[in-house]
């Protein structure tokens, strides 16, 4: 596969370069494949559907062609995914896709674990480790730390703002040993990011250490997230008749979104032949994308803090990819858009629990409520001519091309549940009255000793520490 760049289509590069560089320094653009490969229909139409790992292998193959041989790719996938993504029906036409069965209990495990193994593979003939520096405001750091832990040839340093992340998040970052360590910086997330950025541009440091990032914009985190869209849409297509007597339903993927990496992965799966008719962009009060779909104007803004804090993003980085692939008109045909404020999030968790018995986290709750509203009446009202005020939470006034199948009850929804509810226990308890059960792997982490190293918000001290401890 040849990769190009969102800002300059004359750029041509390979997978390895795209993965190691993360983004194109020369243009500031993001790497994208020049085209979308299609899976063979005989593979997609198998009954029963192929298993998750077989799908992962078939989907990854064209993207790494001539760079990672089949046997090595298979080994990477088997090692990355000892878990998969169960599909849980919560009513006849709603399926929750549980993406939290990885080690850190959030969907970022799917992308980060693939990226770590691919980087290790590309580093295999080097005599020195590749040093990953990552600044985190919470969840990314734990997914990256866990994904790279004990992966040969790689070494990870995580920077986080001391006292500004939740106690559970801190435990998930700071209890590693060996090749992964955390620095608790006396400063903000922006300070952490600045220390990392300064290090990347420091030539004297780079002479001593080979540095790379594990940023969420990396193409090797995006591609593997398409695997679970393909798998779940095939599972749902094959079981739908038995569940709801809808023949050939239109399948709608409902995606709680922040940087829109997950949703972009859904678009890749759709292009590769997944039976997905449309997508719902579901956000919290950081509604830059819903506003864009409603008004046609894309305006970034500072982020605001919400209960669904992994989606507190005012300038979603993957807008750049979505708008490189599609026109606004095409986006409006494919997407519905929906947003909720904090009161709406709490209400959504509690009504999901009341109506279905399912305990959902604050991020997934927005998606559940979006689908519930869309399929019960909100889309029908739009089709009948109602206009919704974009300043009020709910469905945005945009009628996608699949609106009729909603009105005619020919659609089913896949709701992406991006985190385990126990990661956001206090919000969930406030909504349902019950504290969610804590999975063993989270409980264990909570009892491990904290090994984070204190760090001043001072570049020279940070550099000294890196040279003394890593070089
Ligand atoms: C990161 C994250 C999201 C947002 O995903 P994007 O790819 O940035 O849109 C949603 N939910 C949870 C729990 C997350 O950790």
């Amino acid at each position: 596969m040849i990769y190009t760049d969102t800002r300059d289509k004359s750029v041509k590069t390979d997978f390895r370069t795209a993965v190691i560089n993360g983004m194109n320094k020369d243009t500031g653009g993001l790497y994208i494949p020049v085209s979308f490969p299609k899976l063979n229909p005989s593979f997609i139409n198998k009954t029963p559907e192929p298993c998750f790992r077989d799908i992962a292998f078939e989907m990854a193959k064209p993207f790494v062609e001539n760079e990672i041989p089949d046997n090595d790719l298979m080994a990477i996938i088997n090692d990355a995914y000892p878990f998969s993504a169960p599909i849980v029906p919560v009513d006849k036409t709603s399926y929750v896709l549980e993406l939290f069965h990885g080690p850190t209990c959030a969907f970022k495990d799917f992308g980060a674990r693939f990226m770590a193994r691919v980087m290790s593979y590309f580093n295999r003939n080097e005599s020195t480790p590749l040093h990953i520096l990552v600044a985190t405001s919470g969840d990314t750091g734990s997914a990256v730390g866990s994904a790279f832990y004990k992966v040969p040839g790689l070494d990870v340093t995580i920077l986080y703002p001391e006292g500004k992340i939740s106690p559970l998040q801190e435990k998930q970052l700071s209890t590693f040993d060996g090749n992964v360590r955390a620095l608790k910086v006396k400063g903000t997330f922006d300070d952490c990011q600045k220390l990392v950025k300064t290090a990347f541009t420091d030539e004297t440091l780079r002479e001593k250490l080979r540095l790379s990032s594990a940023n969420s914009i990396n193409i090797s985190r995006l591609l593997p997230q398409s695997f679970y869209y393909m798998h779940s849409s095939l599972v749902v297509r094959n079981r739908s008749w038995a569940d709801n007597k809808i023949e050939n339903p239109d399948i709608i993927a409902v995606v709680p979104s922040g940087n829109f990496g997950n949703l972009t992965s859904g678009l890749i799966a759709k292009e590769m032949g997944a039976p997905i008719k449309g997508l719902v962009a579901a956000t919290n009060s950081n509604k830059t994308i819903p506003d864009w779909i409603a008004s046609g104007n894309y305006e970034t803004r500072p982020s605001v803090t919400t209960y669904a804090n992994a989606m507190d993003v005012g300038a979603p980085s993957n807008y750049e990819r979505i708008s490189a692939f599609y026109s606004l008109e095409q986006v409006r045909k494919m997407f519905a858009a929906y947003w909720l404020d904090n009161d709406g999030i709490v209400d959504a968790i509690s009504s999901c629990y009341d109506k279905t018995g399912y305990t959902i986290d604050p991020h997934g709750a927005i998606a559940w409520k979006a689908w519930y509203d869309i399929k019960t009446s909100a889309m029908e009202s739009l089709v009948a001519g109602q206009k919704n005020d974009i300043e009020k939470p709910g469905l945005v006034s945009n009628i996608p091309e699949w609106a009729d199948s909603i009105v005619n009850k020919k659609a089913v929804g896949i709701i992406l549940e991006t985190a385990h509810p126990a990661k956001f226990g206090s919000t969930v308890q406030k909504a349902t009255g019950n504290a969610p059960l804590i999975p063993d792997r989270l409980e264990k982490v909570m009892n491990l000793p904290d090994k984070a190293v204190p760090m001043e918000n001072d570049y020279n001290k940070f550099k000294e520490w890196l040279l003394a401890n890593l070089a």
Side-chain angles (χ1 to χ4, degrees):
M1 174 64 68
I2 298 166
Y3 292 81
T4 184
D5 165 329
T6 47
R7 298 194 184 172
D8 179 358
K9 296 280 165 62
S10 72
V11 169
K12 301 264 177 290
T13 192
D14 57 8
F15 184 57
R16 182 196 175 104
T17 310
V19 170
I20 300 293
N21 290 0
M23 70 188 289
N24 189 347
K25 272 209 296 293
D26 302 330
T27 62
L30 308 185
Y31 292 110
I32 48 174
V34 288
S35 62
F36 294 110
K38 299 255 181 280
L39 287 194
N40 196 323
S42 69
F43 181 79
I44 288 180
N45 294 328
K46 266 188 196 156
T47 40
E49 64 288 334
C51 70
F52 179 80
R53 286 180 181 183
D54 288 350
I55 288 173
F57 177 74
E58 289 299 324
M59 290 181 84
K61 214 160 95 155
F63 288 109
V64 305
E65 206 176 3
N66 301 326
E67 296 183 70
I68 305 180
D70 286 0
N71 280 347
D72 293 325
L73 179 62
M74 189 66 93
I76 287 171
I77 284 169
N78 287 343
D79 193 48
Y81 304 120
F83 55 89
S84 84
I87 293 131
V88 180
V90 292
D91 64 38
K92 282 186 184 332
T93 55
S94 312
Y95 300 86
V96 171
L97 174 59
E98 293 185 343
L99 298 173
F100 55 70
H101 292 273
T104 74
C105 298
F107 88 98
K108 290 188 176 68
D109 288 329
F110 282 90
R113 290 178 66 83
F114 185 80
M115 172 170 63
R117 281 148 189 83
V118 164
M119 281 186 164
S120 171
Y121 182 80
F122 286 139
N123 199 54
R124 71 197 181 287
N125 295 326
E126 303 288 340
S127 55
T128 55
L130 188 63
H131 291 277
I132 313 289
L133 299 183
V134 55
T136 183
S137 55
D139 274 347
T140 299
S142 55
V144 168
S146 159
F148 284 76
Y149 186 50
K150 294 187 172 162
V151 174
L154 300 176
D155 188 275
V156 179
T157 304
I158 303 164
L159 285 76
Y160 70 92
E162 183 174 9
K164 295 195 172 62
I165 68 176
S166 79
L168 174 61
Q169 283 176 326
E170 183 159 24
K171 280 286 186 187
Q172 284 193 294
L173 291 178
S174 63
T175 54
F176 296 106
D177 50 22
N179 69 327
V180 178
R181 70 205 60 82
L183 304 181
K184 47 180 170 190
V185 175
K186 290 189 178 49
T188 63
F189 169 64
D190 291 336
D191 295 328
C192 296
Q193 212 159 22
K194 209 164 148 205
L195 290 173
V196 168
K197 283 198 172 144
T198 313
F200 282 128
T201 56
D202 182 338
E203 293 303 328
T204 64
L205 182 68
R206 297 198 78 149
E207 278 166 22
K208 301 239 165 56
L209 295 174
R210 294 172 52 237
L211 298 181
S212 189
S213 81
N215 205 295
S216 67
I217 57 175
N218 198 298
I219 189 77
S220 67
R221 279 180 66 174
L222 213 59
L223 296 175
Q225 292 171 177
S226 64
F227 307 158
Y228 51 70
Y229 282 91
M230 180 69 75
H231 181 245
S232 61
S233 62
L234 296 179
V235 169
V236 166
R237 181 197 61 189
N238 289 351
R239 65 177 288 171
S240 183
W241 175 257
D243 287 341
N244 50 45
K245 299 286 175 284
I246 303 173
E247 205 156 3
N248 261 329
D250 276 356
I251 297 175
I252 310 301
V254 193
V255 191
S257 296
N259 267 318
F260 281 77
N262 199 3
L263 187 135
T264 304
S265 304
L267 294 170
I268 294 172
K270 178 169 161 52
E271 293 288 348
M272 293 181 79
I276 293 173
K277 183 69 182 173
L279 296 112
V280 180
T283 74
N284 56 28
S285 302
N286 296 281
K287 59 186 179 66
T288 306
I289 294 282
D291 280 351
W292 171 54
I293 290 172
S295 72
N297 298 321
Y298 181 73
E299 283 170 44
T300 64
R301 60 206 71 170
S303 64
V304 297
T305 305
T306 76
Y307 292 141
N309 61 27
M311 309 189 335
D312 292 349
V313 179
S317 49
N318 282 290
Y319 164 77
E320 178 143 354
R321 284 193 173 106
I322 295 170
S323 58
F325 293 146
Y326 306 106
S327 67
L328 175 63
E329 197 190 338
Q330 288 173 311
V331 166
R332 283 174 167 165
K333 282 186 181 160
M334 276 188 291
F335 288 23
Y338 184 97
W339 72 279
L340 286 181
D341 60 15
N342 265 351
D343 288 344
I345 291 172
V346 174
D347 182 61
I349 298 168
S350 97
S351 63
C352 179
Y353 187 69
D354 290 346
K355 289 192 162 61
T356 71
Y358 190 86
T359 303
I360 202 158
D361 99 292
H363 305 80
I366 303 176
W368 178 82
K369 188 64 165 40
W371 177 243
Y372 182 83
D373 285 358
I374 285 172
K375 73 169 185 161
T376 48
S377 65
M379 189 60 83
E380 194 163 0
S381 302
L382 283 188
V383 171
Q386 181 178 308
K387 293 271 173 282
N388 294 344
D389 179 357
I390 182 69
E391 296 311 320
K392 296 219 179 79
L395 186 63
V396 167
S397 293
N398 174 61
I399 301 176
E401 61 186 4
W402 42 268
D404 282 349
S405 68
I406 297 285
V407 175
N408 300 326
K409 310 281 182 220
K410 296 273 187 242
V412 300
I414 298 178
I415 294 144
L416 279 74
E417 167 60 322
T418 48
H420 193 287
K423 287 191 94 168
F424 303 91
S426 63
T427 307
V428 173
Q429 184 163 18
K430 182 156 127 176
T432 65
N434 307 313
L437 282 178
I438 299 176
D440 281 353
R441 58 199 187 286
L442 278 187
E443 186 95 60
K444 269 195 196 121
V445 156
M446 288 162 84
N447 298 323
L448 291 174
D450 182 334
K451 299 197 183 86
V453 176
M455 177 60 56
E456 299 293 319
N457 176 24
D458 176 320
Y459 181 68
N460 286 325
K461 293 224 167 83
F462 173 54
K463 180 177 175 178
E464 248 170 56
W465 189 90
L466 290 177
L467 288 171
N469 291 278
L470 304 184

PDB file of all heavy atoms in Angstrom, residues 106-108 139 256-262 310-311 361 363 418-419 424, ligand 1:
ATOM      1  N   ALA A 106     -10.505  -0.061  27.859  1.00  0.00           N
ATOM      2  CA  ALA A 106     -11.042   0.938  26.922  1.00  0.00           C
ATOM      3  C   ALA A 106     -10.653   0.546  25.498  1.00  0.00           C
ATOM      4  O   ALA A 106      -9.723  -0.234  25.291  1.00  0.00           O
ATOM      5  CB  ALA A 106     -10.521   2.334  27.253  1.00  0.00           C
ATOM      6  N   PHE A 107     -11.367   1.103  24.528  1.00  0.00           N
ATOM      7  CA  PHE A 107     -11.165   0.659  23.149  1.00  0.00           C
ATOM      8  C   PHE A 107      -9.785   1.001  22.612  1.00  0.00           C
ATOM      9  O   PHE A 107      -9.346   0.415  21.627  1.00  0.00           O
ATOM     10  CB  PHE A 107     -12.249   1.269  22.233  1.00  0.00           C
ATOM     11  CG  PHE A 107     -11.897   2.620  21.687  1.00  0.00           C
ATOM     12  CD1 PHE A 107     -11.364   2.742  20.416  1.00  0.00           C
ATOM     13  CD2 PHE A 107     -12.073   3.764  22.435  1.00  0.00           C
ATOM     14  CE1 PHE A 107     -11.019   3.985  19.902  1.00  0.00           C
ATOM     15  CE2 PHE A 107     -11.733   5.012  21.931  1.00  0.00           C
ATOM     16  CZ  PHE A 107     -11.205   5.118  20.671  1.00  0.00           C
ATOM     17  N   LYS A 108      -9.075   1.941  23.251  1.00  0.00           N
ATOM     18  CA  LYS A 108      -7.757   2.328  22.754  1.00  0.00           C
ATOM     19  C   LYS A 108      -6.768   1.158  22.753  1.00  0.00           C
ATOM     20  O   LYS A 108      -5.773   1.194  22.037  1.00  0.00           O
ATOM     21  CB  LYS A 108      -7.220   3.517  23.535  1.00  0.00           C
ATOM     22  CG  LYS A 108      -7.991   4.797  23.222  1.00  0.00           C
ATOM     23  CD  LYS A 108      -7.377   6.028  23.838  1.00  0.00           C
ATOM     24  CE  LYS A 108      -8.113   7.287  23.413  1.00  0.00           C
ATOM     25  NZ  LYS A 108      -9.496   7.363  23.980  1.00  0.00           N
ATOM     26  N   ASP A 139      -6.302   8.705  29.611  1.00  0.00           N
ATOM     27  CA  ASP A 139      -6.498   7.353  29.093  1.00  0.00           C
ATOM     28  C   ASP A 139      -5.477   6.887  28.059  1.00  0.00           C
ATOM     29  O   ASP A 139      -5.149   5.706  28.007  1.00  0.00           O
ATOM     30  CB  ASP A 139      -7.898   7.225  28.502  1.00  0.00           C
ATOM     31  CG  ASP A 139      -8.909   6.853  29.574  1.00  0.00           C
ATOM     32  OD1 ASP A 139      -8.472   6.471  30.681  1.00  0.00           O
ATOM     33  OD2 ASP A 139     -10.118   6.946  29.313  1.00  0.00           O
ATOM     34  N   PRO A 256     -19.392   7.104  19.944  1.00  0.00           N
ATOM     35  CA  PRO A 256     -19.054   8.208  20.851  1.00  0.00           C
ATOM     36  C   PRO A 256     -17.682   8.755  20.472  1.00  0.00           C
ATOM     37  O   PRO A 256     -16.706   7.999  20.436  1.00  0.00           O
ATOM     38  CB  PRO A 256     -19.024   7.552  22.238  1.00  0.00           C
ATOM     39  CG  PRO A 256     -18.957   6.084  22.023  1.00  0.00           C
ATOM     40  CD  PRO A 256     -19.350   5.789  20.607  1.00  0.00           C
ATOM     41  N   SER A 257     -17.574  10.051  20.187  1.00  0.00           N
ATOM     42  CA  SER A 257     -16.382  10.558  19.511  1.00  0.00           C
ATOM     43  C   SER A 257     -15.764  11.774  20.176  1.00  0.00           C
ATOM     44  O   SER A 257     -16.462  12.634  20.721  1.00  0.00           O
ATOM     45  CB  SER A 257     -16.740  10.919  18.067  1.00  0.00           C
ATOM     46  OG  SER A 257     -17.132   9.760  17.361  1.00  0.00           O
ATOM     47  N   GLY A 258     -14.415  11.833  20.094  1.00  0.00           N
ATOM     48  CA  GLY A 258     -13.659  12.977  20.595  1.00  0.00           C
ATOM     49  C   GLY A 258     -12.743  13.491  19.491  1.00  0.00           C
ATOM     50  O   GLY A 258     -13.012  14.500  18.850  1.00  0.00           O
ATOM     51  N   ASN A 259     -11.648  12.752  19.270  1.00  0.00           N
ATOM     52  CA  ASN A 259     -10.766  13.080  18.144  1.00  0.00           C
ATOM     53  C   ASN A 259     -11.228  12.461  16.827  1.00  0.00           C
ATOM     54  O   ASN A 259     -10.601  12.644  15.796  1.00  0.00           O
ATOM     55  CB  ASN A 259      -9.338  12.625  18.442  1.00  0.00           C
ATOM     56  CG  ASN A 259      -8.516  13.739  19.058  1.00  0.00           C
ATOM     57  OD1 ASN A 259      -8.610  14.881  18.621  1.00  0.00           O
ATOM     58  ND2 ASN A 259      -7.721  13.410  20.054  1.00  0.00           N
ATOM     59  N   PHE A 260     -12.278  11.678  16.876  1.00  0.00           N
ATOM     60  CA  PHE A 260     -12.881  11.052  15.687  1.00  0.00           C
ATOM     61  C   PHE A 260     -11.979  10.034  14.996  1.00  0.00           C
ATOM     62  O   PHE A 260     -12.172   9.723  13.822  1.00  0.00           O
ATOM     63  CB  PHE A 260     -13.389  12.118  14.696  1.00  0.00           C
ATOM     64  CG  PHE A 260     -14.712  12.690  15.144  1.00  0.00           C
ATOM     65  CD1 PHE A 260     -14.762  13.623  16.170  1.00  0.00           C
ATOM     66  CD2 PHE A 260     -15.890  12.246  14.587  1.00  0.00           C
ATOM     67  CE1 PHE A 260     -15.983  14.104  16.631  1.00  0.00           C
ATOM     68  CE2 PHE A 260     -17.113  12.723  15.040  1.00  0.00           C
ATOM     69  CZ  PHE A 260     -17.156  13.658  16.062  1.00  0.00           C
ATOM     70  N   GLY A 261     -11.026   9.457  15.759  1.00  0.00           N
ATOM     71  CA  GLY A 261     -10.230   8.365  15.207  1.00  0.00           C
ATOM     72  C   GLY A 261     -11.086   7.117  15.058  1.00  0.00           C
ATOM     73  O   GLY A 261     -11.071   6.439  14.019  1.00  0.00           O
ATOM     74  N   ASN A 262     -11.857   6.817  16.097  1.00  0.00           N
ATOM     75  CA  ASN A 262     -12.698   5.627  16.069  1.00  0.00           C
ATOM     76  C   ASN A 262     -13.692   5.698  14.910  1.00  0.00           C
ATOM     77  O   ASN A 262     -13.838   4.748  14.128  1.00  0.00           O
ATOM     78  CB  ASN A 262     -13.420   5.530  17.420  1.00  0.00           C
ATOM     79  CG  ASN A 262     -13.946   4.137  17.706  1.00  0.00           C
ATOM     80  OD1 ASN A 262     -13.744   3.200  16.933  1.00  0.00           O
ATOM     81  ND2 ASN A 262     -14.639   4.001  18.822  1.00  0.00           N
ATOM     82  N   ALA A 310     -12.985  11.521  28.057  1.00  0.00           N
ATOM     83  CA  ALA A 310     -12.085  11.074  26.981  1.00  0.00           C
ATOM     84  C   ALA A 310     -12.509  11.663  25.637  1.00  0.00           C
ATOM     85  O   ALA A 310     -11.828  11.483  24.630  1.00  0.00           O
ATOM     86  CB  ALA A 310     -12.058   9.551  26.914  1.00  0.00           C
ATOM     87  N   MET A 311     -13.641  12.354  25.630  1.00  0.00           N
ATOM     88  CA  MET A 311     -14.117  12.992  24.391  1.00  0.00           C
ATOM     89  C   MET A 311     -14.112  14.521  24.517  1.00  0.00           C
ATOM     90  O   MET A 311     -14.759  15.205  23.738  1.00  0.00           O
ATOM     91  CB  MET A 311     -15.533  12.517  24.053  1.00  0.00           C
ATOM     92  CG  MET A 311     -15.622  11.014  24.079  1.00  0.00           C
ATOM     93  SD  MET A 311     -17.106  10.209  23.480  1.00  0.00           S
ATOM     94  CE  MET A 311     -18.392  11.395  23.653  1.00  0.00           C
ATOM     95  N   ASP A 361     -21.234   3.063  30.255  1.00  0.00           N
ATOM     96  CA  ASP A 361     -20.355   4.135  30.754  1.00  0.00           C
ATOM     97  C   ASP A 361     -20.787   5.483  30.144  1.00  0.00           C
ATOM     98  O   ASP A 361     -21.595   5.508  29.212  1.00  0.00           O
ATOM     99  CB  ASP A 361     -18.886   3.800  30.426  1.00  0.00           C
ATOM    100  CG  ASP A 361     -18.415   4.537  29.194  1.00  0.00           C
ATOM    101  OD1 ASP A 361     -18.918   4.214  28.089  1.00  0.00           O
ATOM    102  OD2 ASP A 361     -17.614   5.471  29.328  1.00  0.00           O
ATOM    103  N   HIS A 363     -19.462   7.537  28.063  1.00  0.00           N
ATOM    104  CA  HIS A 363     -19.188   7.736  26.634  1.00  0.00           C
ATOM    105  C   HIS A 363     -20.175   6.947  25.793  1.00  0.00           C
ATOM    106  O   HIS A 363     -20.848   7.483  24.907  1.00  0.00           O
ATOM    107  CB  HIS A 363     -17.740   7.333  26.313  1.00  0.00           C
ATOM    108  CG  HIS A 363     -16.731   8.035  27.151  1.00  0.00           C
ATOM    109  ND1 HIS A 363     -16.445   7.631  28.437  1.00  0.00           N
ATOM    110  CD2 HIS A 363     -15.978   9.137  26.922  1.00  0.00           C
ATOM    111  CE1 HIS A 363     -15.545   8.459  28.959  1.00  0.00           C
ATOM    112  NE2 HIS A 363     -15.246   9.381  28.056  1.00  0.00           N
ATOM    113  N   THR A 418     -17.144   2.268  24.509  1.00  0.00           N
ATOM    114  CA  THR A 418     -15.704   2.464  24.389  1.00  0.00           C
ATOM    115  C   THR A 418     -14.931   2.261  25.693  1.00  0.00           C
ATOM    116  O   THR A 418     -13.709   2.180  25.665  1.00  0.00           O
ATOM    117  CB  THR A 418     -15.413   3.881  23.845  1.00  0.00           C
ATOM    118  OG1 THR A 418     -16.187   4.823  24.587  1.00  0.00           O
ATOM    119  CG2 THR A 418     -15.791   3.973  22.373  1.00  0.00           C
ATOM    120  N   ALA A 419     -15.626   2.201  26.823  1.00  0.00           N
ATOM    121  CA  ALA A 419     -14.920   1.978  28.095  1.00  0.00           C
ATOM    122  C   ALA A 419     -15.785   1.148  29.037  1.00  0.00           C
ATOM    123  O   ALA A 419     -17.017   1.147  28.937  1.00  0.00           O
ATOM    124  CB  ALA A 419     -14.573   3.301  28.761  1.00  0.00           C
ATOM    125  N   PHE A 424     -15.551   4.774  35.215  1.00  0.00           N
ATOM    126  CA  PHE A 424     -16.237   6.036  35.518  1.00  0.00           C
ATOM    127  C   PHE A 424     -17.303   5.766  36.575  1.00  0.00           C
ATOM    128  O   PHE A 424     -18.446   6.207  36.465  1.00  0.00           O
ATOM    129  CB  PHE A 424     -16.835   6.625  34.227  1.00  0.00           C
ATOM    130  CG  PHE A 424     -15.779   6.836  33.176  1.00  0.00           C
ATOM    131  CD1 PHE A 424     -15.485   5.841  32.256  1.00  0.00           C
ATOM    132  CD2 PHE A 424     -15.045   8.007  33.145  1.00  0.00           C
ATOM    133  CE1 PHE A 424     -14.471   6.013  31.321  1.00  0.00           C
ATOM    134  CE2 PHE A 424     -14.027   8.185  32.212  1.00  0.00           C
ATOM    135  CZ  PHE A 424     -13.746   7.186  31.297  1.00  0.00           C
TER     136      PHE A 424
HETATM  137  C1  LIG B   1     -10.507   8.108  23.403  1.00  0.00           C
HETATM  138  C2  LIG B   1     -11.899   7.755  23.805  1.00  0.00           C
HETATM  139  C3  LIG B   1     -13.028   8.140  23.033  1.00  0.00           C
HETATM  140  C4  LIG B   1     -12.897   9.012  21.813  1.00  0.00           C
HETATM  141  O1  LIG B   1     -12.332   8.328  20.718  1.00  0.00           O
HETATM  142  P1  LIG B   1     -11.850   9.163  19.449  1.00  0.00           P
HETATM  143  O2  LIG B   1     -11.213   8.163  18.561  1.00  0.00           O
HETATM  144  O3  LIG B   1     -10.866  10.173  19.968  1.00  0.00           O
HETATM  145  O4  LIG B   1     -13.041   9.801  18.843  1.00  0.00           O
HETATM  146  C5  LIG B   1     -14.277   7.726  23.445  1.00  0.00           C
HETATM  147  N1  LIG B   1     -14.452   6.994  24.560  1.00  0.00           N
HETATM  148  C6  LIG B   1     -13.414   6.610  25.328  1.00  0.00           C
HETATM  149  C7  LIG B   1     -13.674   5.844  26.564  1.00  0.00           C
HETATM  150  C8  LIG B   1     -12.091   6.961  24.988  1.00  0.00           C
HETATM  151  O5  LIG B   1     -11.076   6.580  25.769  1.00  0.00           O
END
